[in-house]
Amino acid sequence: MLLKRTNIEEQLGKTLKNAVDSQKILDEVFRILEEDKQSKERIQLNLSGGKSNIINHFDFDLLDTNKIYHLAQIRKICIDYRLRFLDSKYFKGKIPDKAVSKIKKLEKEHGIEIKGYKIIAPSKLFKLADKDDPLLLVPIGNDYFYLIHKWGNDLHPFRKALMWPFKSIVNLTVLVLVASYLVTLLIPNGLFSKSSSNAEFWIICFFMFKSIAAVVIFYGFALGKNFSPAIWNSKYFNA
């Protein structure tokens, strides 16, 4: 059986066809990359600005119910851990690419453009008017928010306890009273008089309370500090 002879013209034509197909593939890849670039730029623009009173019309059947939070739950967490819940335009950190990818995936699944991004994070991560654990959320209506992405390091395990005094004036007063009592216990007996008595102890404790309270009040006014319920959603440094 004789082998068919090679036709150079046919082979040359095949290379031309392959070149055309390759160009189509390159054009398609370029188009996909360009669309991806434009989508990323649009998302970054929405993250860096825009209105905050936005409602995103998601398909609720496609949402993870474990990532839906009410404003009351967010407020409680922010007060307990002294965090801020603000528009993403005030966030001075970098939004990770993974978060942007999740946003693009959500937009594709739900067929919408997501807007109105909010972030939960410590005050130091925001550009306030006057690295820890940021959470990116978007509004879905009726004071509910959907968690898109969390990044960074977890909060210190004792942060809630450390921030407890800043929840109210009562908590702060209790802390000052306890601190005054403990400091008074450290003062040696007979330091101010030859004989010690309960009356002397409580007088010293009272003066310690006034001294510590004065320092706390000066610190609070000097740095413009306020209690957590007043600042959790405030964009001002000295709220």
Side-chain angles (χ1 to χ4, degrees):
M1 181 179 178
L2 297 176
L3 296 175
K4 184 179 179 181
R5 299 174 69 84
T6 302
N7 187 318
I8 296 300
E9 184 180 357
E10 290 179 0
Q11 298 301 319
L12 189 61
K14 288 180 180 178
T15 59
L16 181 61
K17 182 176 182 300
N18 290 337
V20 173
D21 291 343
S22 298
Q23 185 61 43
K24 287 183 178 178
I25 293 173
L26 287 175
D27 290 343
E28 182 66 16
V29 170
F30 178 79
R31 184 186 65 80
I32 293 173
L33 291 175
E34 186 65 22
E35 288 180 355
D36 184 73
K37 179 183 177 183
Q38 292 176 359
S39 176
K40 187 174 182 179
E41 290 176 349
R42 175 180 54 76
I43 291 171
Q44 292 288 1
L45 186 63
N46 287 335
L47 284 166
S48 61
K51 298 179 180 179
S52 58
N53 55 341
I54 297 292
I55 296 177
N56 295 288
H57 299 286
F58 287 99
D59 183 348
F60 284 88
D61 292 333
L62 300 177
L63 292 177
D64 182 356
T65 55
N66 292 323
K67 293 184 178 180
I68 298 176
Y69 300 92
H70 191 265
L71 185 63
Q73 296 171 300
I74 295 172
R75 181 179 184 274
K76 182 179 185 306
I77 289 297
C78 289
I79 291 175
D80 286 347
Y81 292 92
R82 198 169 175 81
L83 303 172
R84 300 263 183 144
F85 180 58
L86 299 174
D87 295 342
S88 58
K89 64 183 178 182
Y90 296 111
F91 187 68
K92 66 182 179 183
K94 183 181 182 300
I95 306 293
D97 292 335
K98 190 173 181 180
V100 176
S101 298
K102 288 184 177 181
I103 293 171
K104 288 193 289 186
K105 182 183 177 186
L106 276 173
E107 289 186 335
K108 185 176 181 181
E109 289 176 348
H110 296 265
I112 61 173
E113 179 182 351
I114 300 175
K115 295 182 179 180
Y117 298 95
K118 309 278 281 189
I119 286 182
I120 297 175
S123 299
K124 64 181 180 180
L125 291 182
F126 288 104
K127 294 176 285 188
L128 301 179
D130 164 81
K131 261 183 179 173
D132 289 307
D133 186 20
L135 280 74
L136 179 65
L137 303 96
V138 290
I140 58 178
N142 294 326
D143 284 339
Y144 281 95
F145 294 82
Y146 187 73
L147 174 63
I148 291 181
H149 186 60
K150 167 191 170 297
W151 69 98
N153 300 318
D154 291 333
L155 295 174
H156 192 281
F158 296 117
R159 182 180 177 91
K160 183 176 181 180
L162 293 172
M163 297 301 125
W164 179 83
F166 302 104
K167 291 179 68 174
S168 69
I169 185 67
V170 175
N171 291 12
L172 187 60
T173 302
V174 170
L175 176 67
V176 174
L177 282 170
V178 172
S180 303
Y181 181 79
L182 294 176
V183 171
T184 305
L185 290 176
L186 296 176
I187 297 176
N189 292 330
L191 180 65
F192 298 103
S193 65
K194 294 182 179 180
S195 60
S196 59
S197 63
N198 289 335
E200 180 186 353
F201 176 86
W202 290 113
I203 290 173
I204 295 174
C205 185
F206 174 71
F207 279 103
M208 286 297 173
F209 173 78
K210 289 204 304 182
S211 301
I212 296 175
V215 173
V216 170
I217 292 171
F218 174 79
Y219 172 78
F221 278 104
L223 298 183
K225 297 297 180 180
N226 208 331
F227 294 103
S228 299
I231 68 164
W232 73 277
N233 63 345
S234 173
K235 65 181 181 179
Y236 297 103
F237 175 77
N238 56 348

